[in-house]
Amino acid sequence: MASSFTIHDAAGYEQLMGRWSKKLASLFIDFAGVADGERVLDVGCGTGSLTFTLAESAKPAEIAAIDFSPVFVAEATRRNSDRRISIRQADACALPFENGLFDRAMALLVLHFVPETGKAIAEMVRVVRPGGVVAAAVWDHYGGMPGMRMMVDTVSVLSEGGRQMRARYCFQPMTQPGEMRRAFVEQGLADVEETELMIRMDYWNFDDFWAPIAAGEGPLGKYVATLDTAERARVDAAVRDAYEAGRPDGPRSFANVAWACRGTVH
């Protein structure tokens, strides 16, 4: 199992996270760096947020993108019109590339969904040349995602299953301060640096926030999909009440923080 992320529909993912990963991609590239003429690997490309932003940010010679999900690979391939970009299905823990092939390997919002994170980082290190860069970013689930915490904290008071889901979500691997940095150091990367990246998630109304989760997308949607009709109605109403917070339904804005880490291959 190379990914624990639940994806059913590319459009649903775009509404859940893709639109926000596009905003985060530019900040991540500024931190991780990219130069003209480089060969760059995007590990866990999803629908292409980082892949296509990389192509626009500089003039890399080649961008190779992989994802474990055939849904993501198909959608990213459909969107691609750049001959520098190649997209394929592959396992982050067994990258189908030779040693030292790339100048940079990057993973945006991926490592916290890879059960064997150390192996995935080791594979990124393996395929990057000495002096090249490995970089990754993941959301700060516990302290940096107030919109999602609003949802998980709300359902946690409704049932024991909700409490367990909150614990899984809040302490997902690589999402705690310093955790990714330690993992990079353990895989032999040098000059490891960790920082915070912040974007805002702006929703038009409750349905804009809730629809992809209600449709079963992502880890929170996976939980919602397990509920019976009565429990689902309770969750829907309670999360709506939390979102509205005593005001009429409408736009809401949440500041969200991701941890980003980079290191140099010896």
Side-chain angles (χ1 to χ4, degrees):
M1 180 70 176
S3 174
S4 61
F5 190 87
T6 302
I7 174 68
H8 301 290
D9 175 73
Y13 171 79
E14 280 297 299
Q15 188 176 1
L16 174 70
M17 192 55 63
R19 53 180 165 167
W20 313 126
S21 62
K22 288 185 183 72
K23 295 178 69 172
L24 187 62
S26 295
L27 299 179
F28 179 48
I29 291 168
D30 289 344
F31 171 72
V34 63
D36 292 352
E38 289 189 333
R39 305 176 85 174
V40 184
L41 173 63
D42 180 1
V43 177
C45 65
T47 54
S49 295
L50 177 60
T51 301
F52 301 130
T53 306
L54 279 166
E56 297 167 357
S57 298
K59 297 179 180 178
E62 175 187 348
I63 303 170
I66 68 102
D67 202 283
F68 189 70
S69 165
V71 175
F72 282 149
V73 171
E75 180 62 16
T77 300
R78 185 189 69 81
R79 296 180 180 191
N80 183 36
S81 60
D82 192 323
R83 289 184 294 178
R84 295 172 299 166
I85 297 172
S86 60
I87 303 164
R88 68 164 91 173
Q89 185 177 5
D91 187 340
C93 295
L95 295 172
F97 304 106
E98 62 188 65
N99 295 353
L101 180 62
F102 297 99
D103 299 291
R104 297 176 196 270
M106 303 167 70
L108 178 64
L109 306 180
V110 174
L111 291 185
H112 50 325
F113 293 113
V114 179
E116 296 180 280
T117 308
K119 185 179 289 188
I121 297 170
E123 277 291 274
M124 294 171 73
V125 171
R126 179 185 65 78
V127 301
V128 170
R129 63 167 174 81
V133 171
V134 171
V138 300
W139 292 120
D140 176 1
H141 278 192
Y142 182 85
M145 295 199 78
M148 297 301 109
R149 277 299 302 268
M150 176 186 71
M151 182 263 183
V152 299
D153 287 342
T154 298
V155 301
S156 74
V157 302
L158 300 179
S159 70
E160 177 59 27
R163 291 184 71 251
Q164 294 175 9
M165 184 273 289
R166 179 178 64 174
R168 290 193 301 271
Y169 177 82
C170 287
F171 297 103
Q172 208 162 334
M174 297 295 111
T175 62
Q176 302 303 301
E179 190 175 5
M180 191 161 46
R181 185 186 188 283
R182 290 190 295 273
F184 272 43
V185 171
E186 288 170 1
Q187 296 305 324
L189 287 160
D191 304 319
V192 176
E193 180 182 349
E194 186 176 74
T195 192
E196 301 171 20
L197 307 175
M198 192 276 283
I199 67 164
R200 296 201 73 90
M201 296 183 181
D202 300 304
Y203 299 96
W204 290 107
N205 51 36
F206 176 68
D207 285 342
D208 189 32
F209 168 82
W210 186 239
I213 299 172
E217 300 294 347
L220 305 185
K222 183 179 180 180
Y223 167 76
V224 170
T226 67
L227 303 176
D228 63 30
T229 302
E231 187 65 17
R232 170 65 181 273
R234 290 181 68 214
V235 166
D236 287 356
V239 177
R240 175 182 285 277
D241 185 64
Y243 177 91
E244 294 178 354
R247 295 284 184 92
D249 189 16
R252 302 291 189 270
S253 181
F254 301 92
N256 291 263
V257 175
W259 298 112
C261 196
R262 70 183 177 204
T264 303
V265 177
H266 284 292

